[in-house]
Amino acid sequence: ADKPIWEQIGSGFVQHYYQQFDTDRVKLADLYTDASCLTWEGEGFQGKAAIMTKLNSLPFQTIQHIITAQDHHPTPDNCVMSMVMGQLKADQDQVMGFQQVFLLKNVDNKWVCTNDMFRLALHNFGA
């Protein structure tokens, strides 16, 4: 059976996003708008320029994302909400888990990310 359209949109976006992130982060600018919001490890950024400044300032030369799970939902206002879980390896650092949530909206026949929340899956249970 074919996947519902929102799953096709969400999984297509996720594949494209991480391919761009891993090869040329500058190209991610096309996926955001001036109204987009990003929360990166609890720090907020609004607008394409602020988001791209943050993403381009991340302190690694190479990164590879491996997606282990993704879920997609339609929203009542015709958007798509996507939750991604996976692992990433930056430079020579150890592999780390991460979660990321995207809210995607169709603007002028193009799917863009209006909201993006990212967290590394780091836990310090001994603290």
Side-chain angles (χ1 to χ4, degrees):
D2 287 336
K3 289 182 180 180
I5 187 67
W6 63 84
E7 286 191 15
Q8 295 174 40
I9 292 163
S11 62
F13 178 88
V14 166
Q15 180 181 4
H16 179 71
Y17 178 89
Y18 292 109
Q19 180 181 16
Q20 292 298 316
F21 200 113
D22 291 359
T23 57
D24 188 359
R25 274 181 275 169
V26 173
K27 293 181 181 175
L28 291 174
D30 294 339
L31 303 179
Y32 295 99
T33 71
D34 289 335
S36 294
C37 293
L38 166 69
T39 300
W40 187 274
E41 290 290 314
E43 188 178 2
F45 303 89
Q46 185 165 13
K48 181 189 294 198
I51 290 169
M52 291 310 301
T53 297
K54 174 60 179 177
L55 295 180
N56 289 320
S57 73
L58 294 172
F60 50 79
Q61 298 300 310
T62 62
I63 190 164
Q64 180 182 14
H65 291 84
I66 297 146
I67 306 309
T68 55
Q70 55 183 303
D71 298 298
H72 311 282
H73 282 184
T75 68
D77 56 350
N78 298 315
C79 293
V80 176
M81 185 171 63
S82 298
M83 183 179 78
V84 179
M85 294 181 67
Q87 296 180 321
L88 61 81
K89 180 161 179 48
D91 294 335
Q92 301 305 312
D93 293 346
Q94 67 184 34
V95 174
M96 294 179 275
F98 75 94
Q99 293 96 26
Q100 195 158 9
V101 175
F102 301 103
L103 185 63
L104 310 176
K105 182 176 183 172
N106 192 318
V107 177
D108 299 327
N109 291 317
K110 177 183 167 191
W111 287 92
V112 295
C113 180
T114 60
N115 300 79
D116 179 353
M117 293 179 276
F118 174 89
R119 286 277 183 175
L120 288 171
L122 303 177
H123 303 283
N124 185 356
F125 296 112

